[in-house]
């Protein structure tokens, strides 16, 4: 019995003749994925691998998040509330992964990072197409961000498409209008390229939902999903800021910004402001 030798025997059914057949590495294209980590420091700095892998993994999770959020918007557009909830639940789990990742990067000391930071030149996460697309998809539109992508016409066109399309919040407000809620017409048809700006006229809509959850339980569940998504997004931004402060303090960013001060301003951006504001006007209900 080979278990005595602390070995697990192969079972007879296990495939060992895999030439010309679908394999693990082939299906996942691991040869491409795992040959895309090239430290630029010379000689290679041990910690640059962490920096590269950390960003690549974040971009992979963002790929899934963008994919799921796009589906979520489509579900809302077609009144598929249950399907929306299912996709939103997955998005939240992905966001948790993205947030938990900061703890890995925080093992990089300030002086280790300074030993290879110069190889980054003017590159910065500020130029992440996927990150900016997700922000646009959620509703933080900002046409000025497109300028950063002028060097790459394909990326520019993709971000432009995200700017032009209704966001998650836009589709949510349109959903509410379709289902009889008093959403002002200015939210049902508008210039989608503009960021949503806080509108007190939306408060009665949400007040009615939050004060009558037994009637509007569908709408309430949707609202709370959006609140979760925004909260998770803000936690990611906050953890990014704290990691940045811990590693480069208040140095300027490689992307040309003031650094921590610039990132802190992002904490004041909001996707679904009325969903937080409504709580200030809710009274006791019986
Ligand atoms: C040593 C680690 C890191 C430092 C020191 C850092 C620093 C910065 C700074 C200073 C900015 C502002 C733009 C600039 O001037 O460069 C920025 C933006 C950004 N970084 Fe990082 N970052 C780090 C890691 C990461 C990681 C792991 C990601 C994940 C993809 C990331 C994603 C972003 C994004 C998306 C922005 C744009 C944020 C916005 O527009 O509000 N960063 N980063
Ligand atoms: N902005 C960072 C550099 C940086 O973190 C970075 C550089 C290249 C690719 C991704 C990056 N991550 C986030 O900004 C810095 O100022 O050190």
């Amino acid at each position: 019995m080979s278990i005595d030798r602390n070995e697990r025997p192969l079972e007879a059914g296990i495939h060992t003749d895999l030439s010309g057949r679908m394999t693990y590495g082939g299906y996942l294209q691991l040869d491409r994925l795992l040959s895309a980590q090239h430290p630029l420091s010379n000689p290679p700095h041990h910690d640059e691998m962490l920096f590269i892998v950390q960003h690549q993994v974040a971009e992979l999770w963002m790929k899934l998040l963008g994919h799921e959020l796009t589906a979520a918007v489509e579900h809302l557009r077609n009144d598929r509330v249950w399907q929306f909830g299912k996709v939103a639940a997955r998005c939240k789990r992905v966001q948790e992964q993205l947030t938990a990742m900061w703890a890995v990067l925080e093992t990089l000391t300030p002086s280790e990072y300074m030993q290879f930071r110069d190889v980054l030149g003017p590159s910065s996460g500020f130029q992440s197409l996927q990150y900016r697309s997700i922000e646009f998809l959620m509703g933080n539109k900002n046409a000025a961000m497109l300028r950063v992508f002028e060097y790459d016409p394909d990326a520019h066109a993709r971000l432009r498409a995200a700017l032009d399309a209704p966001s998650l919040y836009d589709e949510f407000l349109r959903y509410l209008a379709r289902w009889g809620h008093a959403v002002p017409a200015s939210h049902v048809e508008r210039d989608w390229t503009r960021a949503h700006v806080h509108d007190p006229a939306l408060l009665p809509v949400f007040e009615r939902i939050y004060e009558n959850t037994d009637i509007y339980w569908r709408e309430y569940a949707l609202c709370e999903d959006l609140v979760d998504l925004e909260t998770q997004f803000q936690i990611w931004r906050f953890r990014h800021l704290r990691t940045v402060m811990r590693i480069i303090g208040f140095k300027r960013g490689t992307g040309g910004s003031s650094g921590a001060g610039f990132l802190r301003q992002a904490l004041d951006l909001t996707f679904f402001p009325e969903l937080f504001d409504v709580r200030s006007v809710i009274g006791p209900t019986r």
Side-chain angles (χ1 to χ4, degrees), residues 51 55 113 117 120 123-126 240 248 251-255:
F51 190 80
H55 283 88
Y113 182 50
R117 190 184 186 218
L120 303 174
S123 69
S124 164
F126 193 68
H240 180 225
I248 63 166
K251 291 190 174 94
R252 293 193 73 82
T254 51

Side-chain angles (χ1 to χ4, degrees), residues 76-245:
L76 267 189
R77 191 177 294 141
N78 293 287
D79 296 336
R80 294 188 295 258
V81 175
W82 183 81
Q83 290 90 332
F84 172 88
K86 195 166 173 298
V87 169
R90 185 176 294 166
C91 289
K92 293 178 212 172
R93 294 296 186 210
V94 173
Q95 288 178 305
E96 284 171 8
Q97 293 298 315
L98 278 160
T99 298
M101 285 178 58
W102 290 115
V104 183
L105 191 60
E106 276 173 339
T107 64
L108 180 70
T109 68
S111 69
E112 284 163 352
Y113 182 50
M114 290 313 287
Q115 285 157 21
F116 64 87
R117 190 184 186 218
D118 58 320
V119 305
L120 303 174
S123 69
S124 164
F126 193 68
Q127 298 142 18
S128 168
L129 172 64
Q130 297 204 105
Y131 178 83
R132 208 57 74 199
S133 302
I134 290 167
E135 264 193 351
F136 283 9
L137 202 53
M138 300 256 300
N140 266 169
K141 303 283 183 72
N142 184 345
M145 296 295 173
L146 283 166
R147 288 172 52 200
V148 176
F149 297 90
E150 274 166 10
Y151 77 98
D152 179 349
D154 183 54
H156 190 271
R158 285 163 62 186
L159 197 57
R160 176 84 230 181
L163 186 78
D164 291 342
S167 70
L168 179 55
Y169 202 38
D170 294 325
E171 288 297 355
F172 179 51
L173 296 178
R174 284 157 70 89
Y175 167 87
L176 292 179
R178 279 197 301 282
W179 288 85
H181 295 274
V183 173
S186 58
H187 293 285
V188 177
E189 215 41 77
R190 69 182 191 94
D191 176 1
W192 308 120
T193 65
R194 312 297 287 267
H196 169 85
V197 178
H198 179 260
D199 182 1
L202 282 168
L203 282 187
V205 173
F206 293 124
E207 194 179 355
R208 184 158 162 261
I209 293 170
Y210 274 81
E211 288 180 350
N212 299 283
T213 50
D214 46 347
I215 303 170
Y216 303 118
W217 52 273
R218 271 195 197 82
E219 292 88 336
Y220 169 72
L222 288 169
C223 287
E224 291 293 285
D225 277 339
L226 295 193
V227 168
D228 285 337
L229 291 171
E230 167 148 3
T231 300
Q232 282 300 324
F233 204 100
Q234 288 290 27
I235 292 171
W236 185 91
R237 281 177 172 157
F238 181 74
R239 288 291 282 118
H240 180 225
L241 169 65
R242 300 305 298 192
T243 305
V244 170
M245 286 167 61

